[in-house]
Amino acid sequence: MTDEIIIKFDEVSFGYGPNHPILNKVSFSVRRGTKITLMGQNGAGKSTIFQLLSKELKPDIGKINISEKISIAISRQVIPRDQLDLSVKDFFQACFPKTIYDLDPRIDEVLETVNLKAPHNKIIRSFSGGQQARLLLASALIQNPDLLLLDEPTNNLDKAGIAHLTQFLKEYPKTCIVISHDADFLNAFTDGILYLDVFTRKIEQYAGNYFDVVDQITARIEKENMKNAQLSKIIQEKKDKANFFANKGGKMRVLAKRMRDLADEMEEEKADIRREDKTIRPFIIPTQANLSGEILAISSLTIVKNHKPITKTVKISLKKNQHLLLSGPNGIGKSSLLETLASGRSKTALIAPGIIVGYYRQDFSTLNFNDTVHQSLASVMTEQIEEKLRATAGSFLIGSNLINSKIGNLSEGQKGLVAFARLVLQKPGLLILDEPTNHINFRHLPIIAEALNKYEGAMILVSHVPDFVAQIRIDEILDLER
């Protein structure tokens, strides 16, 4: 690590049109060799900053100074849809502007770095979510960049994958900026934090490890709240005196005006409290009416080992108020099993007739990206009650500014909140959840866990986040590796 500044934002402003501002005169710098965390609420604009750094977007105002000859690579949150049908080799070739003739050995080397074995002719779509997360990281590393940008790199990774990535970043000698909601993962390597405030649209820069910085931010909020409370008390006293003197008339009105001016000056002294630390409101997922008997029965399933399918006999029966945790490493076939169940294509799993299936997919492919949020929520409602739709949306921080936005224009975290809002409105009898913590702000997770814990229908859950799972009542665990 050196003192050389390789990135400098100087009064940078950016927005997606006049009605969707993201950054307002943002200034910060990054030194060579540092490991920086980029934090902020879902939809604040963290991924947009990555696009500005990689020059996919240009600032409306201000300058972004990047040292000459600095190469940059991004590991994105998800693989672009137009690349899902590429082979592994073609996927990595797409990372370079020119044909790479020694690509195969370079692929093997980088796949070993991310702890993934994969045939070069295998299609990207056929990999699990966790394996795709490893491929995304590998696609950035194979470029050997001076600046590595990682956007939610732990999403879909199992425990072993996160441990492997953590160790890699500890030893990584170059500059890295990471967007993540995984506190323990971040604290293992972070040198400092860039905090994007969704309301002021400015960046606050902090030095130190993740937990220390979060403590600093918390202490600052408490201090600002105390200061504002004291000022509010004094302001009210000034206003009361102003009203008293104004009623006296004559020269007293001059004094009343002075009191009001003082009150206004004190209002301006109030600190802008960080409002982006909002969490979603507590919620329940209503259960389909008149549930009885067996809701789901599974007699056999297919797992994947060494890229080969293996069929296993099982005996799984789920009734009302029974929760099943599906566990196993990345690539063993958990998501494929959930997809065949939810779609009704499984020949060895029977869902009782008339059961409404609520399906949360880790890639959000159950959402139509061309729909507006309003259309998406309305599509799962049996009764079109506008007030209920908007109230539910609001409880997931989807306000009037987002309700008519297209799903495809939302951040990944906002898509996740829309998916949960749909489940509330859908009232399913069988809930199938594939990595529901992905992309979601960590402040929302206890509330989501509590809602799943109280869900009274049948539920199948896949999650690689032990702290999240520990908060949910689990009646049975099916470990596919065993």
Side-chain angles (χ1 to χ4, degrees), residues 79 82-100 103-104 107 119-124 127 135 139 142:
I79 292 175
D82 60 359
Q83 294 186 4
L84 286 172
D85 292 315
L86 295 177
S87 67
V88 168
K89 186 171 183 177
D90 290 340
F91 173 69
F92 282 105
Q93 178 57 69
C95 299
F96 300 96
K98 297 179 181 179
T99 301
I100 304 296
L103 189 58
D104 286 297
I107 292 173
H120 293 194
N121 61 350
K122 189 172 180 179
I123 301 303
I124 298 296
F127 288 93
L135 287 168
S139 70
I142 201 170

Side-chain angles (χ1 to χ4, degrees), residues 257-463:
K257 183 180 183 305
R258 191 180 304 162
M259 290 290 178
R260 288 197 185 96
D261 291 342
L262 282 170
D264 290 342
E265 286 174 15
M266 287 182 177
E267 284 285 2
E268 292 179 6
E269 284 181 35
K270 279 188 176 182
D272 288 329
I273 296 300
R274 304 164 57 85
R275 294 178 293 163
E276 82 278 13
D277 292 329
K278 281 184 177 180
T279 54
I280 58 175
R281 292 202 289 272
F283 67 98
I284 61 167
I285 300 175
T287 308
Q288 181 179 353
N290 303 318
L291 285 180
S292 63
E294 190 174 61
I295 294 172
L296 171 68
I298 306 174
S299 58
S300 71
L301 51 81
T302 301
I303 65 169
V304 179
K305 285 201 171 182
N306 298 319
H307 303 284
K308 294 181 181 179
I310 301 170
T311 301
K312 289 194 171 188
T313 301
V314 295
K315 189 176 181 181
I316 297 291
S317 176
L318 287 183
K319 297 180 181 179
K320 182 180 179 180
N321 213 22
Q322 290 185 328
H323 297 175
L324 170 70
L325 176 68
L326 198 61
S327 69
N330 289 147
I332 202 165
K334 301 185 297 297
S335 293
S336 296
L337 172 59
L338 295 187
E339 200 279 327
T340 56
L341 287 175
S343 65
R345 291 190 290 104
S346 175
K347 296 178 181 178
T348 57
L350 180 65
I351 297 175
I355 294 296
I356 298 171
V357 179
Y359 182 24
Y360 185 108
R361 280 192 66 139
Q362 58 178 239
D363 62 359
F364 305 126
S365 57
T366 51
L367 304 178
N368 183 338
F369 282 25
N370 289 319
D371 279 351
T372 64
V373 174
H374 190 284
Q375 289 168 334
S376 184
L377 297 180
S379 69
V380 296
M381 298 178 71
T382 51
E383 293 181 84
Q384 299 299 310
I385 303 173
E386 183 70 13
E387 186 179 353
K388 184 176 182 181
L389 184 152
R390 287 183 177 268
T392 302
S395 68
F396 287 95
L397 305 183
I398 304 162
S400 57
N401 60 323
L402 290 176
I403 198 77
N404 292 313
S405 298
K406 285 193 173 183
I407 297 290
N409 293 335
L410 302 180
S411 73
E412 297 302 301
Q414 288 169 327
K415 290 185 184 103
L417 296 180
V418 170
F420 275 111
R422 280 167 54 95
L423 294 176
V424 170
L425 295 170
Q426 189 179 13
K427 303 177 183 177
L430 173 62
L431 194 55
I432 298 177
L433 300 150
D434 192 2
E435 299 288 5
T437 63
N438 282 358
H439 314 289
I440 301 292
N441 189 309
F442 66 91
R443 292 182 181 85
H444 305 328
L445 297 185
I447 297 168
I448 292 170
E450 181 64 17
L452 299 185
N453 187 55
K454 292 180 177 178
Y455 178 65
E456 295 181 353
M459 183 173 82
I460 303 177
L461 170 67
V462 169
S463 176

